[in-house]
Amino acid sequence: MAKNWVKEKPWLPQDIGPKLPPFDGNLMDANVLFLRALDVDSSHGIVVKAKIGRHPYAIKFFITPPQDVNTRDIYGHKGSWSCCDGFDWYFSPFENECRAFGRLKEQKAESIAVKVYGWVALTAKQIKRKLAAAGAQKLNGFPPGILYGIVKDWIELTPYHDSKQRDNYDQMVAVKYFARMLKDLHKLHFLGIVVRDLKPDQYIDGVLIDLSLASTVPHPYGPTAEGPESPWQPRWTYESLAAYDLYNFQVHVIDFWKHNQKFFFSRRMRNGIQTRCNVDAYPAARCKKRCFTHTKRFVPLLNYYEEVLAMVTKPMYDPLDFLRRNPRYPVRTAQFGVPARGPPLPAPRRTFTQVGCCAVM
């Protein structure tokens, strides 16, 4: 009897580099419940709390499509403290997470962020139907067509009695995780991953849950580790981005906590929450003074927000060293003058000039 072969779903993204496998399950099954859509402040997607069997999961559906990057006009008027448009926008937020979490699976390092089970694809109608079946509220934020998502572990928040102070309490109690969070950030850099927009909202009880703007080596518009230098980005790009991660951890996590804890504990009992933080990630105060590194040259902290900041000290690990430790890892460098997505430009026609009895191209 002939076998019915089912076409396997691909690992995504379909580009050279780390990939994420498809989720091993059917979200339209009756044992899969979409309980509710979370009120999450995200411009990239919508998070749905789901129950598959007995276990809760978080499914993030992405609403940001891939950018149409034209490499013929890629730098524009961006300053030296910014990356080229191809490096910033070639991969969509969904693809960024596939690559970053795919690298963690590939290197057996899934413990340093939320556990991910694979990617899924549903239409907006299917998502709304599943939400309606569970009695969840109607949601109008889904664009029509197929939406790609990623299935992650559901992380329950620490119980707290005052819902109005929920966010403030989560920020205060996170201090006990700071040392581990910083250690895990160094591990991400060691594995060739930079977060790029690190902030407290990306953590739940000290677990990193969001890598939608992360960049993972190798990148077609990123630097090369060996041989001829890439035309897109200098070799210190990932080192600078890793330092910017540490800068953000210092400013938006540690310093933010130090500032807010003064007001939080002035009105409430400590209840076992520590009131001191001895963790430091980066000398952030010196970055705006444009100090020089020990190489005696100004190296900027590359960032999305066009802040002119100096890399005053190097990060513990240069993410580009991942390629130096793995020289056989496949790498692709984008061609200059060719659209990033879609078919390449047609090759110029060869013209022949007759010279005597010879044809010259």
Side-chain angles (χ1 to χ4, degrees):
M1 186 173 66
K3 293 182 178 179
N4 293 324
W5 295 101
V6 179
K7 185 178 179 181
E8 292 186 0
K9 294 180 181 179
W11 290 42
L12 295 180
Q14 293 181 323
D15 207 305
I16 290 177
K19 308 175 191 302
L20 190 68
F23 177 66
D24 185 18
N26 184 2
L27 294 185
M28 298 307 294
D29 283 348
N31 70 330
V32 179
L33 300 177
F34 283 16
L35 302 178
R36 59 192 174 97
L38 304 186
D39 183 17
V40 177
D41 183 17
S42 173
S43 59
H44 307 304
I46 297 171
V47 178
V48 172
K49 182 180 181 181
K51 188 176 182 181
I52 304 176
R54 297 181 179 180
H55 303 285
Y57 295 87
I59 307 174
K60 183 175 182 180
F61 290 100
F62 292 81
I63 58 177
T64 307
Q67 297 284 336
D68 184 15
V69 178
N70 188 339
T71 63
R72 285 167 289 181
D73 186 24
I74 204 163
Y75 272 96
H77 302 288
K78 304 188 81 172
S80 61
W81 52 85
S82 300
C83 295
C84 74
D85 287 338
F87 186 84
D88 278 342
W89 307 118
Y90 176 71
F91 291 113
S92 68
F94 166 71
E95 292 169 323
N96 286 335
E97 288 217 340
C98 283
R99 284 167 55 83
F101 286 113
R103 171 62 52 77
L104 297 184
K105 281 184 175 292
E106 169 190 288
Q107 298 296 314
K108 296 180 173 55
E110 296 177 84
S111 62
I112 62 178
V114 65
K115 185 174 177 58
V116 164
Y117 296 92
W119 65 268
V120 293
L122 293 179
T123 64
K125 287 184 178 180
Q126 288 175 318
I127 298 172
K128 291 179 180 179
R129 192 187 313 153
K130 294 291 289 187
L131 286 169
Q137 76 277 25
K138 292 184 179 180
L139 197 65
N140 299 318
F142 293 111
I146 295 178
L147 298 178
Y148 287 88
I150 294 179
V151 181
K152 307 177 183 181
D153 260 338
W154 175 264
I155 301 176
E156 203 67 53
L157 290 169
T158 303
Y160 190 60
H161 65 279
D162 189 351
S163 59
K164 294 181 179 180
Q165 294 296 323
R166 172 84 255 183
D167 291 342
N168 291 332
Y169 174 78
D170 291 338
Q171 293 166 6
M172 293 301 102
V173 79
V175 65
K176 64 181 179 181
Y177 305 119
F178 282 179
R180 176 176 57 78
M181 289 161 62
L182 181 58
K183 185 178 179 181
D184 289 345
L185 184 58
H186 288 312
K187 289 180 181 178
L188 284 175
H189 295 162
F190 180 79
L191 295 174
I193 303 168
V194 288
V195 182
R196 302 205 64 185
D197 65 332
L198 195 145
K199 51 188 180 293
D201 295 345
Q202 290 173 273
Y203 290 92
I204 295 180
D205 281 358
V207 179
L208 183 62
I209 60 169
D210 182 11
L211 289 170
S212 55
L213 288 181
S215 182
T216 306
V217 301
H219 194 295
Y221 291 94
T224 54
E226 303 291 345
E229 193 158 355
S230 166
W232 307 111
Q233 292 294 142
R235 287 216 166 106
W236 48 262
T237 294
Y238 274 102
E239 189 174 47
S240 171
L241 292 172
Y244 186 63
D245 279 351
L246 298 175
Y247 171 87
N248 280 334
F249 194 91
Q250 181 68 48
V251 172
H252 300 301
V253 177
I254 297 174
D255 293 347
F256 184 74
W257 180 89
K258 289 180 178 179
H259 177 266
N260 285 349
Q261 64 93 15
K262 300 175 184 177
F263 304 99
F264 188 82
F265 292 118
S266 65
R267 300 178 181 180
R268 297 168 187 83
M269 297 293 291
R270 187 164 62 90
N271 292 331
I273 302 175
Q274 65 187 70
T275 56
R276 292 184 180 274
C277 175
N278 298 320
V279 178
D280 284 308
Y282 203 75
R286 293 167 50 201
C287 295
K288 294 185 179 180
K289 297 179 181 178
R290 304 191 191 185
C291 301
F292 292 95
T293 61
H294 67 276
T295 58
K296 304 300 181 184
R297 65 191 178 99
F298 174 78
V299 178
L301 291 181
L302 299 174
N303 60 86
Y304 282 115
Y305 310 106
E306 298 189 355
E307 290 183 275
V308 184
L309 302 169
M311 184 170 70
V312 295
T313 184
K314 292 187 176 185
M316 184 179 294
Y317 299 109
D318 180 359
L320 197 61
D321 284 341
F322 177 85
L323 295 181
R324 299 184 180 108
R325 294 191 303 271
N326 300 274
R328 295 186 179 181
Y329 204 92
V331 177
R332 179 180 76 86
T333 301
Q335 297 179 16
F336 195 83
V338 178
R341 295 182 183 269
L345 294 175
R349 295 182 60 187
R350 293 184 176 182
T351 57
F352 294 84
T353 304
Q354 191 74 23
V355 181
C357 61
C358 300
V360 180
M361 284 191 291

